Amino acid sequence: MVSVYITGVGMTKIDKHWDMTVSELASEALRIALNDAEIENVDAVFVGNMLSGIVNSQENLASLVVSYAGLYGTPAFKVEAACASGAAAIASAFISVKSGMFKNVAVVGVEKMSDETSVEGITKALATATDSEYEFYHGVSFTALNALIMQRYSYEFNVKPEDYGLWSIQMHKNATMNPYAQLRFEITMEKYLSSQWISKPIRFMDCSPVGDGAAALILSSKKPENRPIEIAGIGMATDKFQSFLREDLLTLAAAKMAAKRAYDMANIRPEDIDMVEVHDAFTIMGVLSLEALGLAEKGKGIELLKNGDIKPDGTIPTNLSGGLKARGHPVGATGVYQVAELALQLRGTPVGVKLDNPNIGVALNLGGLASNCYVTVLKGG
Amino acid sequence: MVSVYITGVGMTKIDKHWDMTVSELASEALRIALNDAEIENVDAVFVGNMLSGIVNSQENLASLVVSYAGLYGTPAFKVEAACASGAAAIASAFISVKSGMFKNVAVVGVEKMSDETSVEGITKALATATDSEYEFYHGVSFTALNALIMQRYSYEFNVKPEDYGLWSIQMHKNATMNPYAQLRFEITMEKYLSSQWISKPIRFMDCSPVGDGAAALILSSKKPENRPIEIAGIGMATDKFQSFLREDLLTLAAAKMAAKRAYDMANIRPEDIDMVEVHDAFTIMGVLSLEALGLAEKGKGIELLKNGDIKPDGTIPTNLSGGLKARGHPVGATGVYQVAELALQLRGTPVGVKLDNPNIGVALNLGGLASNCYVTVLKGG
């Protein structure tokens, strides 16, 4: 079977890009990745994006990005899976190379959230990741759903606010090293604990910020001679969509299933993993993600924070980029940033903290309330 | 290489479905297709949809549809390419079966346009298929862009209003036979010529209607014993996005390129084709589509109407379903309806006029101003 390698990486800094359109942001990341891969065109482009229709009044985004990038004629697909749109686009691109129909393809994750300037507006836009009819129309925002889960986790496993605070502090610390990160400053436990409630028990400092960004990858069936980085496994799964349908709110069932599928394809076990990028849109999702990836038992994810395991020199370095919390979370782009960061780390040229010869990196991207999940396993050469 | 067969088909009637959500419509078509294929689940679901974010306040649609259909765990992708979202989803599904990663997959095209009840609202939603920044923000709607092209075609090739009228008359006649069609009534030339201007020279009777609908297909790598229908070729291409960038407004360059790619894969020539479903969102696009498919020289597509070639008993039976004009055009679903209709015709159980043992059918689905085009070639067994 065909193997798939990452041969090019491109990123823009995550920020409020008032002077660029969503298509300009995307085509900039795409051009950087093409230059990095030293190729001029690809056989197809897969664009991951969630909100361009609602926030930028722009659908038909894939052919627009291709046209802006000057790649006339190239087939183009936009893939959407809420906050997992980026990883869904990577999975689609990966499958297309596996099919043998394409040899070199590009993935671009992009989101330009700042075109929506009101908090109410962006909250409503993000709430389209819930079941609009049976969740959001009744007043449950996305933050509120996460708050329900955090409340239950805290109760079941006796977790204190200062335990959660360790996540945010570490993410901000990691982000200071990453030139592409949105929030490049450290915070203290005092600042975490005094930050305002957004939806109790979620504090302001538990939330990822709103920002604009684009990241791109070139995937190829041709193995590079120098430091090949292989996408060794991809796992995809969906869950019962609505929170009220689930037997167990504290297990990300789709993420767990996706992880098993990805590990099986890559022929690895959780203990083989050298680093992870997980989906901490809110602190609680970071903790549950570690459990879903099999890095901690149920209810024990929080221990990885308390023991310092998630630090760059810990047992399972987590979100060296700063994570969604501090690198930023331009929603449809996030999954591509995660894999791009792991690829650069495996290449030996990370954007932040450098690990000592890592070999295996895993990214977990969650869509909606983890209703659509993607796990990507990278192996260094 | 793996071959891909259509083993199940499902459709809902195109209508204003006030009592159903976009997810309910989609899951209904999906259930019908699963029953038709006599299977209970698939390895992945690909949802084609353009407007659920803007019109239904619903993103993350793919995992929602899968959950509504009770297919817990199944990987799900939403694919968007404006009015070609349906065919883009078919192409994605086709590629995934070719990859060997999945054996049976479902495609669902769905659009619920009636949640937007104002003409201005739906016009703005559809205009997100243009370049919002450089086309729509300056007042150019989608209909206006098509009007520019129709005006130029009429001037260059001396086409009269009554020539165009033949299209609409034939489509309405075909739709009377199709129980799933939205507009099941005949019209006269007098009615065509007296219908109001929408954007001159486009008349009301040149426009496809606004409606809701969902269609689904099951694709499989396993050849059915009885009347196998193979997806023998798929071609995809993009064009310079904006009208003002194109050297020639009267050639659908991406459609032409997609057709060549699809014909090459299927190893056919235009003269082998027994029937087509083309993208007549407006009459002029129907005419240009016939030319792009190589069924007429440039400027001669209109002759196929005048000579009666597009009739069910003509040389190239066109849109036996009634086409976008009269079957209806629930935008993200249209590409799936087209292929579903061709498949049923090849199976010998068409939804409308029955042809005498057709063997090859071709569908052309256009996204935006034909900026993203998909051609699908079906072969009967």
Side-chain angles (χ1 to χ4, degrees):
Chain A
M1 204 174 191
V2 179
S3 295
V4 183
Y5 301 92
I6 295 175
T7 57
V9 173
M11 285 188 248
T12 67
K13 177 165 167 33
I14 300 175
D15 212 330
K16 305 283 170 92
H17 289 285
W18 304 112
D19 57 338
M20 294 178 86
T21 66
V22 61
S23 339
E24 286 166 347
L25 258 181
S27 58
E28 179 165 318
L30 177 54
R31 296 308 311 177
I32 299 169
L34 286 166
N35 287 339
D36 185 45
E38 298 182 348
I39 55 174
E40 291 191 349
N41 206 338
V42 285
D43 303 324
V45 175
F46 296 82
V47 176
N49 171 270
M50 175 183 178
L51 297 171
S52 75
I54 298 171
V55 171
N56 316 115
S57 297
Q58 186 66 69
E59 289 295 357
N60 205 10
L61 185 65
S63 54
L64 184 61
V65 169
V66 163
S67 187
Y68 265 82
L71 309 180
Y72 303 126
T74 307
F77 298 82
K78 171 179 159 175
V79 187
E80 187 273 330
C83 299
S85 298
I90 294 173
S92 301
F94 172 83
I95 291 168
S96 80
V97 176
K98 283 272 181 201
S99 78
M101 286 180 64
F102 302 130
K103 293 198 187 317
N104 298 292
V105 302
V107 184
V108 191
V110 64
E111 207 72 67
K112 182 155 199 310
M113 303 174 79
S114 65
D115 283 0
E116 173 56 65
T117 50
S118 78
V119 172
E120 191 196 337
I122 202 72
T123 302
K124 285 172 84 166
L126 290 168
T128 62
T130 70
D131 183 342
S132 295
E133 295 279 334
Y134 292 102
E135 292 178 321
F136 185 57
Y137 288 176
H138 299 276
V140 188
S141 76
F142 208 72
T143 316
L145 286 169
N146 278 274
L148 283 172
I149 294 179
M150 186 169 175
Q151 179 77 1
R152 188 73 202 172
Y153 190 90
S154 307
Y155 170 80
E156 290 276 353
F157 305 115
N158 192 29
V159 184
K160 297 187 206 65
E162 48 271 40
D163 300 335
Y164 290 116
L166 295 167
W167 186 277
S168 185
I169 291 166
Q170 187 61 46
M171 294 305 114
H172 275 272
K173 191 175 168 71
N174 292 354
T176 59
M177 304 276 287
N178 178 359
Y180 299 95
Q182 185 174 2
L183 306 178
R184 300 184 64 196
F185 54 85
E186 295 202 45
I187 64 159
T188 59
M189 185 61 82
E190 190 187 355
K191 179 152 184 183
Y192 173 82
L193 291 172
S194 64
S195 72
Q196 69 193 102
W197 297 119
I198 301 300
S199 180
K200 212 172 168 183
I202 291 182
R203 289 176 162 81
F204 181 71
M205 278 296 167
D206 287 306
C207 303
S208 51
V210 167
D212 310 330
L217 301 169
I218 309 298
L219 308 188
S220 177
S221 55
K222 193 174 169 207
K223 187 174 183 173
E225 290 180 20
N226 196 22
R227 303 201 82 144
I229 297 147
E230 186 184 355
I231 300 184
I234 286 195
M236 307 154 258
T238 53
D239 198 356
K240 294 182 183 182
F241 193 93
Q242 301 91 341
S243 49
F244 53 78
L245 285 182
R246 301 187 188 170
E247 289 84 12
D248 174 10
L249 271 181
L250 302 184
T251 298
L252 305 182
K256 213 171 155 176
M257 205 184 303
K260 187 186 174 337
R261 290 171 179 173
Y263 296 169
D264 285 351
M265 188 187 294
N267 195 24
I268 64 161
R269 295 161 306 167
E271 47 270 39
D272 299 329
I273 301 169
D274 297 318
M275 56 181 169
V276 293
E277 288 287 332
V278 297
H279 195 98
D280 55 324
F282 301 95
T283 303
I284 184 64
M285 282 294 140
V287 175
L288 292 180
S289 291
L290 293 172
E291 297 179 9
L293 288 177
L295 301 168
E297 296 292 310
K298 187 173 173 181
K300 302 288 185 191
I302 199 74
E303 302 296 325
L304 298 181
L305 280 59
K306 290 158 79 174
N307 298 337
D309 293 315
I310 65 167
K311 294 184 179 186
D313 59 354
T315 56
I316 183 69
T318 299
N319 292 5
L320 295 168
S321 61
L324 281 61
K325 175 67 197 82
R327 173 237 287 122
H329 182 30
V331 291
T334 291
V336 184
Y337 275 98
Q338 290 180 319
V339 172
E341 288 151 357
L342 292 175
L344 291 177
Q345 184 71 251
L346 290 170
R347 205 193 255 184
T349 55
V351 291
V353 193
K354 189 174 189 308
L355 294 186
D356 188 24
N357 275 324
N359 186 38
I360 293 179
V362 168
L364 169 59
N365 197 195
L366 309 178
L369 201 66
S371 67
N372 203 348
C373 300
Y374 295 82
V375 171
T376 308
V377 179
L378 301 191
K379 280 189 185 172
Chain B
M1 204 173 191
V2 179
S3 295
V4 183
Y5 301 93
I6 296 176
T7 57
V9 173
M11 284 188 250
T12 68
K13 176 164 167 33
I14 300 175
D15 211 331
K16 305 283 169 96
H17 289 284
W18 304 111
D19 57 337
M20 295 178 85
T21 66
V22 61
S23 338
E24 286 165 348
L25 258 181
S27 57
E28 179 164 317
L30 177 53
R31 295 308 312 176
I32 298 170
L34 286 166
N35 287 338
D36 185 46
E38 298 182 347
I39 55 174
E40 291 190 349
N41 205 338
V42 285
D43 303 324
V45 176
F46 296 81
V47 176
N49 171 270
M50 176 183 176
L51 297 171
S52 75
I54 298 171
V55 171
N56 316 114
S57 298
Q58 186 67 67
E59 289 295 356
N60 205 10
L61 185 64
S63 53
L64 185 61
V65 169
V66 162
S67 187
Y68 265 81
L71 309 180
Y72 302 128
T74 307
F77 297 83
K78 169 177 161 178
V79 187
E80 188 273 328
C83 299
S85 298
I90 294 173
S92 301
F94 172 83
I95 291 168
S96 80
V97 176
K98 283 272 181 199
S99 78
M101 287 181 64
F102 302 131
K103 293 198 187 317
N104 298 293
V105 302
V107 184
V108 192
V110 64
E111 207 73 66
K112 182 154 199 310
M113 303 174 80
S114 66
D115 283 1
E116 173 56 65
T117 51
S118 78
V119 172
E120 192 196 336
I122 203 71
T123 302
K124 284 171 85 165
L126 290 168
T128 60
T130 69
D131 183 342
S132 295
E133 295 279 333
Y134 292 102
E135 292 176 321
F136 186 56
Y137 288 175
H138 299 276
V140 188
S141 75
F142 209 70
T143 315
L145 286 168
N146 277 273
L148 283 173
I149 294 179
M150 186 169 174
Q151 178 76 1
R152 188 73 201 171
Y153 190 90
S154 308
Y155 170 81
E156 290 276 354
F157 304 116
N158 192 27
V159 185
K160 298 187 205 69
E162 48 270 40
D163 300 335
Y164 290 117
L166 295 167
W167 186 278
S168 185
I169 292 167
Q170 188 62 46
M171 294 305 114
H172 275 271
K173 191 175 168 72
N174 292 355
T176 59
M177 305 276 288
N178 178 359
Y180 299 95
Q182 184 174 1
L183 305 178
R184 300 183 64 196
F185 55 84
E186 294 202 45
I187 65 160
T188 60
M189 184 61 81
E190 191 187 354
K191 180 152 184 184
Y192 173 82
L193 291 172
S194 63
S195 73
Q196 69 193 103
W197 297 120
I198 300 301
S199 181
K200 210 171 169 182
I202 291 182
R203 289 176 162 80
F204 181 71
M205 278 296 168
D206 287 307
C207 302
S208 51
V210 167
D212 310 330
L217 301 170
I218 308 299
L219 308 188
S220 177
S221 55
K222 194 176 168 202
K223 187 175 183 172
E225 290 180 19
N226 196 22
R227 302 200 83 143
I229 297 148
E230 186 183 356
I231 300 184
I234 286 194
M236 308 153 258
T238 53
D239 198 356
K240 295 182 182 182
F241 193 93
Q242 302 90 340
S243 49
F244 54 78
L245 284 183
R246 300 187 188 169
E247 289 82 14
D248 174 9
L249 271 182
L250 302 183
T251 298
L252 305 182
K256 213 170 156 177
M257 207 184 304
K260 186 184 176 340
R261 290 170 179 174
Y263 297 169
D264 286 351
M265 189 188 292
N267 195 24
I268 64 161
R269 294 161 307 167
E271 47 270 39
D272 299 328
I273 301 170
D274 296 318
M275 57 182 169
V276 293
E277 288 286 332
V278 297
H279 194 98
D280 55 324
F282 301 95
T283 303
I284 184 65
M285 282 295 140
V287 175
L288 292 180
S289 291
L290 294 171
E291 298 179 9
L293 288 177
L295 302 168
E297 296 292 311
K298 186 173 173 181
K300 301 287 185 191
I302 199 76
E303 302 296 324
L304 298 180
L305 281 59
K306 290 158 79 174
N307 298 338
D309 293 316
I310 65 167
K311 294 184 177 186
D313 59 356
T315 55
I316 184 69
T318 299
N319 292 6
L320 295 168
S321 61
L324 281 61
K325 175 68 197 82
R327 172 239 286 120
H329 182 30
V331 291
T334 290
V336 184
Y337 275 98
Q338 291 179 319
V339 172
E341 288 151 356
L342 293 175
L344 291 177
Q345 185 71 252
L346 290 171
R347 206 193 253 182
T349 56
V351 292
V353 193
K354 189 174 189 309
L355 293 187
D356 187 25
N357 275 323
N359 186 38
I360 293 179
V362 168
L364 170 59
N365 197 194
L366 308 178
L369 200 68
S371 68
N372 203 349
C373 301
Y374 294 82
V375 172
T376 308
V377 179
L378 301 191
K379 279 188 186 173

